[in-house]
Amino acid sequence: MRRAALALALAVVLGGCAAEPVLIPPAGDVPDLRGTWTGTWGGAPLTLVVTEQGGTTRDSSVRLGPWPVSGAEFPTLGGVLTYQVLGRPVSANARGRFGDLNTWPSGYGLALVIDALTPDGEHLVLTEVTADRLSGVGTSIPRWGPQGPVELRINPAR
């Protein structure tokens, strides 16, 4: 009986880890990330071109169709992600939102969550966000899609 309870508790904890990150509106300013960023995603080439920054979006679980009804406002960015799928480059429009993410045990820190606007669910959670470096982890729904650590640096010519 104890083993079953322990297994159930472990499944709940691990299942919770796979959920969408919960952001709260950022406490401070967000850096200007417009420009071309290059690096890797799971060891394969990755490029992020941030073309716009400065808008806001609502993040809410209460929706009327595609529109959030309530929730907090988050600063956003838009651009294009280019990454590898099965050894071939793929480019997709992307939308990102800034927020503070609980980075236990150090407390809350600025994060950037970027979603590629594709049916394959490419998703980056960048937990180191500075004016010249972005790093974190990325996933996609198909197992053959990009997975793993993400490292990006801004190209010097901004």
Side-chain angles (χ1 to χ4, degrees):
M1 188 64 152
R2 276 190 199 187
R3 286 185 187 180
L6 181 59
L8 177 61
L10 185 59
V12 168
V13 168
L14 292 176
C17 294
E20 174 84 13
V22 176
L23 295 175
I24 61 173
D29 293 332
V30 298
D32 182 357
L33 302 182
R34 287 176 290 191
T36 301
W37 297 76
T38 56
T40 59
W41 181 357
L46 172 66
T47 302
L48 169 65
V49 179
V50 178
T51 57
E52 60 183 89
Q53 183 176 338
T56 60
T57 188
R58 286 192 178 277
D59 193 18
S60 169
S61 59
V62 179
R63 295 183 171 274
L64 179 60
W67 301 283
V69 174
S70 64
E73 297 252 335
F74 292 86
T76 61
L77 62 74
V80 177
L81 276 174
T82 302
Y83 50 92
Q84 299 281 315
V85 175
L86 299 173
R88 299 169 78 187
V90 173
S91 291
N93 289 333
R95 289 279 173 220
R97 63 193 184 282
F98 293 93
D100 285 341
L101 179 67
N102 189 355
T103 54
W104 182 86
S106 61
Y108 285 92
L110 183 63
L112 173 60
V113 177
I114 299 176
D115 295 302
L117 304 178
T118 71
D120 289 337
E122 291 82 11
H123 181 78
L124 306 177
V125 178
L126 305 171
T127 53
E128 182 170 339
V129 179
T130 64
D132 66 345
R133 183 167 188 258
L134 303 171
S135 67
V137 67
T139 59
S140 24
I141 293 171
R143 61 184 172 90
W144 61 82
Q147 310 281 342
V150 173
E151 294 288 335
L152 288 163
R153 292 211 179 262
I154 188 78
N155 286 355
R158 271 185 114 156

